Amino acid sequence: MKSIQIIIVFFLTLAACTQVQKKGTGIDSQEKETVKSDKFYQYSIWWAFVNKVFDGDLKVSDLKKQGDIGLGSFDFLDGEMVMLDGIPYRVRENGEITEGADNDEIVYANATFFDEDKKFETRPAIDYILFKTELDSQLVSSNYFYAFKVHGIFKTIKLGGVPKVEKPFLEGLDVLIPKRPVFNGENITGTMIGFYCPKYIGNINAEGYHFHFISDDHKMGGHVMEFTSDGSLDVKMDEIHSYQFELPANDTFENVKLEKEFQYNK
């Protein structure tokens, strides 16, 4: 009888341990998913981008592992990048829009797996300046990071591209941005993908709001400079508490002198 009791106790203990192990595995998986959804991923740093580090080694296939929305620029500034629903679109300086291939390289990127925390509609008859003021009022704290998906009809919109460059890189963003290609549209339906970085981010990223746009028909896109909208815009927000950046592993970044400082959020 005593032997039988020992055997029963052994199997009950084994079953309990198995359940704990399974439960632990479930928690770990859930935690990993939460971290995945609440991470602001950045490739390269703004300061390097300003100081003519225009060749990167981040593959599009690797960027997709870091988020399903994002913005940035392709290698050698060969197109602005806006990622929506896991697809990184390339907007070249002539306005042509294509999907980035997995082997394409990116020089600078922000990305996250969008996990909606809040949504609201803007007031009607809004422009970009008023829009950012409304966003300010919706932030839980200006000390956190945020990602945005904004959809609607834009009465007018002004978008910036980037001019493709070749080595040796002679001009930085402070020179290239003022002479960037500009695209103007009217009555365009589409999505703005954007991020907010607190002021303490310094030269790691562009502080404040930064938005890129892609039209629903994928015929117009780029960096958002100005817009107006007669109707309300649908805004979805993701509050982010985790930040990670990855540095380029190449000679250009290794040897760059981070001398110039330039913040541009228009």
Side-chain angles (χ1 to χ4, degrees), residues 10 15 18 29 40 45 50-51 71 93 103 106 108 145 159 179 227 234 236 247 249 253 259 263:
F10 170 78
T18 302
S29 299
F40 187 132
I45 58 174
V50 169
N51 283 275
L71 56 79
E93 60 182 316
N103 286 330
I106 291 171
Y108 180 84
F145 296 86
L159 305 173
K179 57 183 183 182
F227 74 77
D234 295 320
K236 297 179 180 179
L247 300 176
F253 183 80
E259 298 173 331
Q263 280 287 345

Side-chain angles (χ1 to χ4, degrees), residues 77-80 82 89-99 159-164 180-184 213-215 217-223:
L77 300 188
D78 188 16
E80 291 275 39
V82 51
Y89 296 95
R90 183 201 296 261
V91 185
R92 285 195 163 93
E93 60 182 316
N94 63 358
E96 176 193 16
I97 298 179
T98 57
E99 291 185 19
L159 305 173
V162 283
K164 184 179 179 181
R180 71 192 316 173
V182 174
F183 315 116
N184 291 288
F213 174 85
I214 183 79
S215 62
D217 59 10
H218 301 161
K219 292 182 178 180
M220 187 176 184
H223 171 89

Side-chain angles (χ1 to χ4, degrees), residues 14 35 37 102 111 141 157 166 189 199 215 220 222-223 229 233-234 252:
L14 180 62
V35 171
S37 297
D102 282 346
S141 169
I157 191 163
E166 301 288 350
T189 303
K199 288 185 178 180
S215 62
M220 187 176 184
H223 171 89
S229 178
L233 301 175
D234 295 320
T252 307

Side-chain angles (χ1 to χ4, degrees), residues 130-150:
L130 290 175
F131 172 70
K132 288 186 281 189
T133 300
E134 281 210 29
L135 290 186
D136 286 341
S137 69
Q138 297 288 337
L139 302 184
V140 173
S141 169
S142 59
N143 295 326
Y144 291 137
F145 296 86
Y146 297 87
F148 302 92
K149 292 171 70 173
V150 185

Side-chain angles (χ1 to χ4, degrees), residues 153-169:
I153 302 174
F154 296 82
K155 180 181 179 182
T156 63
I157 191 163
K158 180 179 180 181
L159 305 173
V162 283
K164 184 179 179 181
V165 295
E166 301 288 350
K167 286 187 174 181
F169 306 127

Side-chain angles (χ1 to χ4, degrees), residues 4 30 43 88 103 131 143 152 157 195 205 216 221 238 244 265:
I4 295 174
Q30 189 175 16
Y43 174 73
N103 286 330
F131 172 70
N143 295 326
I157 191 163
F195 294 89
N205 206 328
D216 285 357
D238 180 9
Q244 173 194 341
N265 56 10

Side-chain angles (χ1 to χ4, degrees), residues 44-63:
S44 192
I45 58 174
W46 179 253
W47 211 359
F49 204 36
V50 169
N51 283 275
K52 299 180 288 188
V53 178
F54 295 138
D55 55 337
D57 43 28
L58 176 68
K59 301 284 188 183
V60 164
S61 58
D62 292 325
L63 176 66

